[in-house]
């Protein structure tokens, strides 16, 4: 059995994009991301926890862009957002928000993605969606760049052709990043996964409530339970996703279905147990694997090295 931990998985798609070479003879970091010939960007849900993480990763990776739009709900319109040494005004998300936008990063919930994602794609925008809206839709690639980049074949910025790209669930990304190299060597026959998921996966409001509940419990007060409907601080419980007819919760079935789609293998047996744990960030998983072919320590060591 192997145990893996990973932090801020929601931004994995961006965090793995290759860095350009840095100047060798300067100790100070030179920002080279703002370029006239680079793609134009939009971040949908920019005021949320994941939206803010998008900006952080874009900046850390020196991601090239010619312009960037900060988009959110009407409630957040007018707020100021700092990015790359500049301040931007948050705009209300509308059907016209994607005129001239090459790449849009969505993290504003499934209903927003379903409404505005196809509209953006029709306007020629490549949409990378962080919700579950399109993950299991036929024809929409479900992508972990290191695992199945071939699923994006034919999608390219600058062709004037829009597309939808789905980002897998955080638990699926963590699991398959570690397991896929082993799967390629010996083929996984059966996978048993247990996840221990932090407040960050439920957004900024959940993180704030965990802090509030911790303070309340330590002071002997009843905890405020607006997000999960029960005490989260100093507690463990089954993931808050709805329970389905088969007895699994929705989060657990995401891992099952997404693994099969990403690996293009409907026969692999996957079962999952997803638990909420009272920590701010960094999900953890334990993964038990059964392989069709022998797998020795030498192969495992090579897989760890990538």
């Amino acid at each position: 059995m192997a145990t893996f931990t990973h932090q801020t998985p929601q931004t994995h798609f961006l965090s793995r994009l290759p860095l350009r070479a840095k100047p060798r003879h300067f100790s100070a970091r030179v920002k080279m991301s703002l370029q006239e010939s680079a793609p134009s960007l939009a971040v949908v849900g920019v005021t949320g926890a994941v939206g803010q993480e998008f900006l952080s990763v874009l900046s850390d990776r020196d991601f090239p862009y010619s312009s960037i739009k900060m988009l959110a709900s009407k409630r957040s319109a007018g707020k100021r957002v700092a990015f790359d040494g500049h301040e931007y005004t948050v705009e209300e998300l509308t059907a016209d928000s994607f005129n001239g936008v090459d790449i849009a990063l969505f993290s504003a919930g499934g209903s927003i993605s379903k409404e505005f994602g196809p509209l953006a794609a029709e306007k020629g925008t490549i949409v990378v969606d962080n919700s579950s809206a399109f993950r299991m839709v036929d024809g929409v690639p479900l992508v972990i760049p290191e695992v199945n980049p071939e699923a994006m074949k034919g999608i390219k910025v600058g062709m004037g052709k829009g597309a939808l790209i789905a980002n897998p669930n955080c638990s699926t990304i963590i699991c398959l990043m570690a397991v896929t190299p082993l799967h390629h060597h010996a083929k996984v026959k059966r996978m048993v996964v247990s996840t221990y998921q932090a407040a960050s996966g439920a957004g900024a409001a959940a993180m704030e409530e965990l802090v509030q509940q911790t303070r309340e419990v330590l002071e002997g007060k009843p905890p405020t339970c607006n997000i999960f409907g029960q005490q989260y601080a100093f507690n463990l419980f089954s993931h808050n996703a709805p329970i389905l007819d088969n007895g699994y919760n929705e989060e657990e079935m995401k891992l099952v279905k997404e693994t099969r789609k990403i690996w293009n293998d409907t026969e692999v047996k996957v079962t999952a147990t997803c638990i909420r744990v009272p920590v701010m960030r960094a999900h953890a998983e334990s993964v038990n694997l059964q392989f069709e072919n022998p797998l020795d320590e030498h192969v495992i060591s090579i897989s760890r090295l990538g």
Side-chain angles (χ1 to χ4, degrees):
M1 184 173 71
T3 302
F4 315 107
T5 61
H6 186 73
Q7 192 165 6
T8 56
Q10 294 90 342
T11 58
H12 175 85
F13 192 98
L14 286 172
S15 65
R16 296 294 178 172
L17 289 169
L19 281 168
R20 289 189 304 281
K22 300 286 192 301
R24 294 182 180 179
H25 306 294
F26 296 92
S27 58
R29 185 165 179 259
V30 179
K31 296 294 289 182
M32 300 174 62
S33 50
L34 192 57
Q35 303 172 13
E36 287 186 10
S37 59
S40 54
L41 308 180
V43 178
V44 180
V46 70
T47 55
V50 178
Q52 288 294 296
E53 197 67 28
F54 276 153
L55 296 183
S56 177
V57 174
L58 285 168
S59 180
D60 288 346
R61 302 298 294 184
D62 232 359
F63 192 87
Y65 66 98
S66 58
S67 63
I68 185 166
K69 285 186 178 182
M70 308 296 182
L71 302 173
S73 65
K74 185 177 181 179
R75 183 179 65 253
S76 296
K79 291 183 178 179
R80 303 288 288 176
V81 172
F83 174 65
D84 241 3
H86 300 278
E87 272 207 345
Y88 296 85
T89 301
V90 176
E91 303 175 33
E92 180 183 356
L93 175 64
T94 70
D96 296 323
S97 296
F98 303 99
N99 294 334
V101 172
D102 294 312
I103 302 172
L105 309 177
F106 273 65
S107 187
S111 60
I112 296 296
S113 293
K114 287 178 180 178
E115 181 179 357
F116 290 97
L119 290 175
E122 288 174 7
K123 291 178 179 288
T125 302
I126 295 174
V127 174
V128 180
D129 182 48
N130 193 52
S131 79
S132 60
F134 306 109
R135 288 173 184 162
M136 300 310 299
V137 174
D138 289 341
V140 176
L142 182 64
V143 179
I144 303 172
E146 297 83 351
V147 173
N148 62 331
E150 69 281 355
M152 295 186 292
K153 186 178 180 180
I155 299 175
K156 188 176 181 181
V157 175
M159 296 177 64
K161 183 179 179 182
L164 293 170
I165 300 172
N167 185 47
N169 190 43
C170 49
S171 299
T172 307
I173 295 173
I174 297 168
C175 181
L176 296 194
M177 278 293 295
V179 173
T180 298
L182 303 177
H183 176 59
H184 287 163
H185 280 289
K187 189 170 174 55
V188 172
K189 182 178 179 180
R190 178 174 174 270
M191 182 163 68
V192 180
V193 185
S194 298
T195 75
Y196 308 94
Q197 295 179 224
S200 58
M207 297 168 72
E208 291 169 4
E209 185 163 286
L210 176 57
V211 173
Q212 182 180 359
Q213 281 193 7
T214 301
R215 185 180 297 112
E216 291 169 341
V217 170
L218 291 175
E219 292 175 353
K221 299 176 181 177
T224 301
C225 302
N226 295 325
I227 304 302
F228 297 119
Q230 60 182 306
Q231 182 177 327
Y232 188 24
F234 308 103
N235 193 19
L236 301 172
F237 51 86
S238 178
H239 193 282
N240 49 293
I243 304 295
L244 305 175
D245 291 340
N246 63 1
Y248 286 84
N249 66 47
E250 201 171 80
E251 186 80 0
E252 293 160 348
M253 288 310 300
K254 286 178 183 178
L255 205 154
V256 174
K257 294 177 180 178
E258 291 174 15
T259 295
R260 291 173 174 168
K261 181 174 180 178
I262 291 167
W263 279 357
N264 192 27
D265 184 352
T266 59
E267 301 300 319
V268 62
K269 296 178 180 179
V270 181
T271 185
T273 302
C274 296
I275 303 297
R276 280 285 183 202
V277 295
V279 299
M280 293 295 284
R281 294 182 180 271
H283 300 347
E285 299 185 1
S286 72
V287 184
N288 182 283
L289 302 169
Q290 181 181 352
F291 298 92
E292 287 190 3
N293 304 306
L295 188 68
D296 58 30
E297 292 181 2
H298 175 68
V299 172
I300 294 174
S301 297
I302 293 174
S303 297
R304 283 176 176 171
L305 293 173

